[in-house]
Amino acid sequence: RKQQQQQQQQQASTQPQQQSQPQNDSSAGAAALMAQQRRAVAEMAALEEQRQAQLVQQQLQLQKQIQQEQLQKFRQDSFNAAAQAHHAAAGHPMDAATDLAAVGDQTGNGANGATAMSGNKRPLNAKKGPKNKGKTSKQQRTMAMESGSSAAPVSQNSGFATLEEAVARLEQQQQQKDATMTDAPGAVDESETHQQLLRQLQQNSQLSSATAGSLLNKLSSGRHGDLSSQQASAVQDLMMMNGKHFNNASEGQHQLPNGPLPPSVSALAAASEQQKQQQQQQQSFPPGGAAAVIAASHLPPKEAAKAADAIIDKEDELTNANPSEVLELKMHQSEVFMCAWNSVFTDMIATGSGDASARIWQMGGTKAADGLGPVRLLPHGSGPKDRKNKDVTTLEWSSDGKLLATGSYDGVARVWSLGGSLVHTLRGHKGPIFSLKWNKKGNYLLSGSYDKTTIVWDVSTHNGFIEQQFNDHQAPALDVDWKDDTTFASCSTDKTVHICRVGMPRPLKTYTGHADEVNAVKWDPSGNLLASCSDDCTAKVWDVNSDRKDPLFDFKSHQQEIYTVKWAPTGPGSKNPNKLPMLATASFDGSVRLWNVQDGSCIQVFSRHRDSVYSVAFSPSGNYLASGSLAGQLYIWNVMEGRHIKSFKGKGDIFEVAWNKEETRVAACFSSNVVCIIDFP
C-alpha cells in the first residue's frame, strides 16, 4: 500500500511538470520571434536612414547642379553681351556706349565704355621699361577693326529670365527637400544657409545704390570658412565688365578663381552654344560666392565696382603686411623698372631706374627692422644731359654673384663689379636694350634690342667683345633666355621665336605659331621645354626635342595680352625634382594662371588684382608665388592651396617682383621711385 501511495504521489508531481513544459517552450519561441522582429525593425530603420541620407545628398547635388548651370549661362550671356558691345566701339561710339551701359545695368559689373577702354592701355610711364611699349591693347584694337559698324544690339534682359528660372527651380527643389530632409540636420543647415542667400534674388530688383554697403556687410557676416571663396568669386564677376576677369569656360580648364575645381569641370568642354541650349555643364563655384555675385549683379555699375573694391580691401586687411615688416628703398629719382637679388651674396639686391642709374643695396640684417646697409650708386651718365635716354631697362647678376650686367635705353650694356666699379662697356646695339642674360658658365652675356638684333658678348677677357650678332628677327627683339652655355631663345614683335646657337649662322628652329608680338620666352629647368607668351592672349609651350611645328600646349584662357611667363623651380632639372612642373602666366586681364605642364591643365587662377599684372616670381621652393600689378598691389600666394597669404599695397605701379634665395623677403619695384622689401612670412 505504501508503494502504491508513493507511486501515486510521484505521478501527481510529474503531471504538472509535463503540463508546464509546453508552456515554457511556447514562451521561449515567442521571445525569439520578438527578438527577430526587433532586429528586422532596426535593420529597416537603418536602411531607411541610409535611404534618407542618400536622398538628401542627391537633392543637394541636384540643387547645386541647377544653380551652377544657371550661373554659368548667366556668365556666358554676360560675356557675349559685353563682347557685342565691345565690338561696336569703333564704328558707333554712341551706340556702343548705350550697349555697354545696358550690359552694365544687366550684370552690375561696374563698367562703362570709358572704363573698359582705359583699362586696356599700357601706362605711358612704363613705355621705357622692357617691352612696355605704351600702346593700346591689341585685343581691343583687333576687335574694333573686325566689328566695324555691324554690331548687333544687346539684349538688356537676357540674364534676368535665366535668374528667375533659377530661383523658381531652386525653390521647387527646396520644397521637395524640406519634405524628406528630417534625418540630416547638418546638411539641412548648410543648404538652408545657401537657400537664404538665393532667395534674396527675388528682392534684388528693388535694391538702391545703398545696397553696396549692405552687400559687403552680408558677405562679411557669413561664416569665416566661406568668406574667402565668396569674396574671390564676387570680385571676379563684379569686375568682368572692366575687361579684366573673363574666364573662358568653354575650354574645360579649371576656372575657379583662387582654387582648383573637381573633375566635374571637364563637362565645360562643350561649346558655348551647347551650353545655352542644353544647360548641362557643371562647374563648382563657391555656393555663397555665387549667390552673392548674382545678388550684386543688380547693383548700379558704380556701386558694384565700389562693392568689389571694398570686398577686396576688407579681406586684404587680414593679410596686409605690417608696416614694421616693410623696408623702403627711396634713393631713386624716377620709376624703378627692375630688381634682382644676388643668389650668392644674398643680402644684396640690385635695382635699375629711369633716372639713368642702377644701385646695389646691402641689407642691414635679415628683417626690415634691421634697416639698410651700404648702398652703391652705378651711374649711367656723368650729368643731366649725359643721362638722357639712359634709363636702366634690364639687369641681371652673374651666376657667381660677382658681376652685375645692366642694359639701358641708349643701347649700351654695362658690366659692374660687386663693389660698384665699371668693368665693361659693351657698345654694339643701335637701339634700347630690352633683355640681358648671363649664361651659367659666366663667359657669355646675351642681349636683345629694339634694333632687331641679339648679341652674344664674350666678357671672359679684360675687354668684352661681340662673339656673334644675330640678325634674324624682322622687328625689335623683346626677350632672350639661355638654354645652356651656347644655345638660346629669342622672341620679337615680328611674332616669331628663334632658337639659336653660338657659331651657327642661322637659327636652329623658328616657331611661328603666335598671331601677335611675342613678349617673353623662358626655358624650363630641364631645358627641354620653351614657354612663350604674346599679345595674341596666348601662352605656348614648345617641345624643342621634337620636330613638331605646333606647340605642345597652347594656353588660351587669358582675355588680354600675356606680358610674362615664369617656370616654377620644380620638376625635372630643378632643385625640387619631385614636385609638379608648373608654368605661371601673367596678363593684362588682371589674372595670373598656373598651368600643369604634364597634362596642360590649369591648376589655379589668381584673380584678385584690379589692373594689369606685369610681374610674377616663384619662391625658391616653388611653394609660393608673388605677383605685382599696375594698381600697386602685391600678393603672395600659396601655390597648391590657391589662396593669397600675404598682401601689400604701395603707391604707383609695380613693374617687377623678386624673391631672395632664403625665401624670407620679397622685393617690389614701383613707378613711384621706391623699392619695397617685404618680410616673409
Side-chain angles (χ1 to χ4, degrees):
R1 185 177 301 170
K2 289 182 179 179
Q3 291 178 353
Q4 290 178 354
Q5 290 177 354
Q6 291 176 354
Q7 290 176 355
Q8 290 176 357
Q9 290 177 357
Q10 290 177 356
Q11 290 176 356
S13 62
T14 303
Q15 186 174 2
Q17 293 179 359
Q18 292 176 349
Q19 292 177 354
S20 64
Q21 185 65 37
Q23 294 179 357
N24 293 338
D25 294 342
S26 176
S27 298
L33 181 60
M34 291 181 63
Q36 291 178 357
Q37 290 176 348
R38 291 192 188 97
R39 286 195 297 269
V41 170
E43 291 176 356
M44 292 178 63
L47 290 174
E48 179 65 17
E49 184 177 356
Q50 292 179 1
R51 188 185 71 82
Q52 292 290 342
Q54 292 175 355
L55 185 59
V56 167
Q57 293 299 322
Q58 292 173 359
Q59 293 292 340
L60 286 174
Q61 291 175 2
L62 180 60
Q63 173 197 358
K64 290 181 180 179
Q65 176 181 344
I66 293 171
Q67 180 203 2
Q68 292 159 6
E69 290 173 356
Q70 297 301 329
L71 178 57
Q72 181 59 39
K73 183 176 186 301
F74 171 77
R75 289 180 170 179
Q76 187 64 39
D77 289 347
S78 300
F79 174 82
N80 293 337
Q84 291 177 9
H86 210 33
H87 276 281
H92 297 281
M94 295 301 295
D95 293 343
T98 302
D99 289 342
L100 283 172
V103 174
D105 290 339
Q106 172 188 326
T107 61
N109 284 325
N112 52 41
T115 303
M117 294 296 181
S118 63
N120 288 338
K121 290 186 178 182
R122 302 185 182 185
L124 293 178
N125 66 348
K127 67 182 184 296
K128 293 182 180 180
K131 309 182 292 283
N132 301 330
K133 298 178 282 293
K135 63 183 180 182
T136 303
S137 163
K138 279 296 187 67
Q139 184 189 28
Q140 172 188 326
R141 293 211 306 268
T142 302
M143 292 175 65
M145 292 171 59
E146 293 177 352
S147 63
S149 60
S150 60
V154 178
S155 171
Q156 298 186 20
N157 297 318
S158 60
F160 295 149
T162 301
L163 297 181
E164 293 169 359
E165 292 172 3
V167 172
R169 292 177 65 183
L170 288 170
E171 289 294 334
Q172 181 180 2
Q173 293 298 329
Q174 176 67 20
Q175 293 174 2
Q176 296 175 358
K177 180 170 63 62
D178 289 341
T180 59
M181 294 176 60
T182 58
D183 295 329
V188 172
D189 292 342
E190 179 181 358
S191 180
E192 287 179 353
T193 301
H194 186 184
Q195 287 299 326
Q196 288 172 2
L197 290 172
L198 289 174
R199 288 193 185 102
Q200 295 177 5
L201 291 171
Q202 296 174 323
Q203 304 173 0
N204 286 333
S205 59
Q206 319 244 330
L207 290 175
S208 64
S209 61
T211 314
S214 65
L215 168 65
L216 177 60
N217 294 334
K218 179 177 62 180
L219 287 177
S220 301
S221 62
R223 290 175 299 181
H224 182 72
D226 296 341
L227 192 58
S228 178
S229 60
Q230 290 176 359
Q231 294 173 349
S233 183
V235 168
Q236 183 191 23
D237 286 78
L238 290 174
M239 300 180 74
M240 281 170 63
M241 293 304 298
N242 282 332
K244 295 175 182 176
H245 298 153
F246 281 112
N247 282 337
N248 188 354
S250 63
E251 287 188 28
Q253 303 293 346
H254 296 188
Q255 298 294 328
L256 176 64
N258 302 342
L261 289 180
S264 62
V265 75
S266 60
L268 294 178
S272 59
E273 288 300 322
Q274 293 175 331
Q275 292 175 348
K276 293 180 180 180
Q277 296 172 2
Q278 299 177 4
Q279 298 184 10
Q280 295 177 347
Q281 290 72 14
Q282 298 182 17
Q283 185 175 11
S284 295
F285 292 94
V293 168
I294 300 175
S297 68
H298 295 271
L299 290 172
K302 292 183 179 180
E303 297 298 329
K306 291 180 181 179
D309 291 345
I311 291 169
I312 295 178
D313 291 339
K314 187 171 185 63
E315 189 174 43
D316 285 351
E317 290 177 1
L318 303 175
T319 59
N320 278 340
N322 190 292
S324 63
E325 299 176 325
V326 181
L327 176 64
E328 291 189 344
L329 314 182
K330 296 183 176 180
M331 293 185 182
H332 282 296
Q333 304 302 310
S334 184
E335 60 266 76
V336 185
F337 291 123
M338 299 291 293
C339 62
W341 290 93
N342 192 311
S343 62
V344 179
F345 305 96
T346 57
D347 61 343
M348 292 185 176
I349 186 171
T351 59
S353 169
D355 62 5
S357 76
R359 280 178 166 83
I360 299 176
W361 314 73
Q362 187 169 3
M363 302 295 102
T366 58
K367 298 291 184 181
D370 297 328
L372 186 64
V375 181
R376 298 170 179 85
L377 174 65
L378 313 180
H380 287 58
S382 57
K385 293 183 179 180
D386 191 35
R387 288 195 292 267
K388 186 178 181 180
N389 289 329
K390 292 187 178 180
D391 307 34
V392 178
T393 56
T394 182
L395 53 79
E396 185 176 76
W397 290 100
S398 60
S399 60
D400 62 6
K402 296 179 179 180
L403 297 175
L404 176 69
T406 62
S408 60
Y409 219 68
D410 62 357
V412 178
R414 297 171 175 85
V415 178
W416 310 80
S417 70
L418 193 63
S421 60
L422 184 61
V423 178
H424 296 296
T425 301
L426 308 174
R427 304 181 186 275
H429 285 297
K430 298 179 181 179
I433 296 176
F434 288 147
S435 182
L436 274 178
K437 295 292 174 62
W438 291 91
N439 68 351
K440 187 175 182 179
K441 187 177 180 180
N443 60 322
Y444 287 153
L445 182 64
L446 174 64
S447 58
S449 170
Y450 183 84
D451 66 6
K452 309 177 186 180
T453 72
T454 57
I455 296 179
V456 175
W457 306 86
D458 188 329
V459 291
S460 60
T461 63
H462 180 70
N463 295 318
F465 60 90
I466 297 176
E467 177 69 26
Q468 188 172 351
Q469 187 166 13
F470 297 82
N471 302 281
D472 302 292
H473 284 298
Q474 304 303 310
L478 299 183
D479 198 18
V480 293
D481 197 35
W482 287 102
K483 178 182 188 293
D484 51 42
D485 284 333
T486 59
T487 308
F488 67 91
S490 62
C491 65
S492 167
T493 61
D494 65 8
K495 310 175 188 179
T496 66
V497 175
H498 290 319
I499 299 178
C500 303
R501 180 171 294 159
V502 177
M504 302 294 290
R506 304 292 299 172
L508 303 177
K509 291 178 181 290
T510 297
Y511 294 120
T512 58
H514 282 291
D516 211 327
E517 302 180 3
V518 186
N519 292 317
V521 285
K522 294 290 183 295
W523 291 97
D524 80 325
S526 71
N528 296 321
L529 300 177
L530 178 68
S532 60
C533 63
S534 167
D535 282 358
D536 65 7
C537 309
T538 73
K540 304 181 190 300
V541 176
W542 311 89
D543 183 359
V544 297
N545 293 327
S546 70
D547 295 329
R548 58 189 299 170
K549 301 291 185 181
D550 60 321
L552 178 64
F553 297 116
D554 196 354
F555 302 133
K556 300 180 180 180
S557 296
H558 284 292
Q559 301 304 313
Q560 294 187 37
E561 297 100 310
I562 303 177
Y563 186 71
T564 189
V565 292
K566 290 290 178 63
W567 289 95
T570 56
S574 73
K575 295 182 179 180
N576 307 289
N578 296 324
K579 294 183 179 180
L580 181 70
M582 297 177 291
L583 178 72
T585 56
S587 169
F588 284 12
D589 65 11
S591 71
V592 177
R593 289 177 178 265
L594 196 60
W595 307 90
N596 180 344
V597 293
Q598 291 182 333
D599 59 14
S601 63
C602 185
I603 303 172
Q604 305 284 6
V605 182
F606 303 126
S607 55
R608 295 183 61 81
H609 286 288
R610 310 183 199 185
D611 212 322
S612 303
V613 183
Y614 260 44
S615 180
V616 291
F618 280 98
S619 67
S621 68
N623 294 332
Y624 306 103
L625 180 73
S627 59
S629 72
L630 294 188
Q633 186 68 56
L634 169 74
Y635 287 114
I636 299 176
W637 312 85
N638 184 303
V639 168
M640 299 315 298
E641 293 182 7
R643 61 185 180 89
H644 79 284
I645 56 178
K646 197 155 193 173
S647 55
F648 175 76
K649 181 68 167 66
K651 295 181 180 179
D653 303 325
I654 296 179
F655 292 143
E656 186 78 10
V657 294
W659 288 85
N660 68 343
K661 185 177 181 180
E662 291 85 3
E663 203 171 271
T664 58
R665 304 182 107 171
V666 177
C669 305
F670 286 85
S671 62
S672 56
N673 313 347
V674 174
V675 180
C676 292
I677 311 294
I678 298 98
D679 293 344
F680 182 81

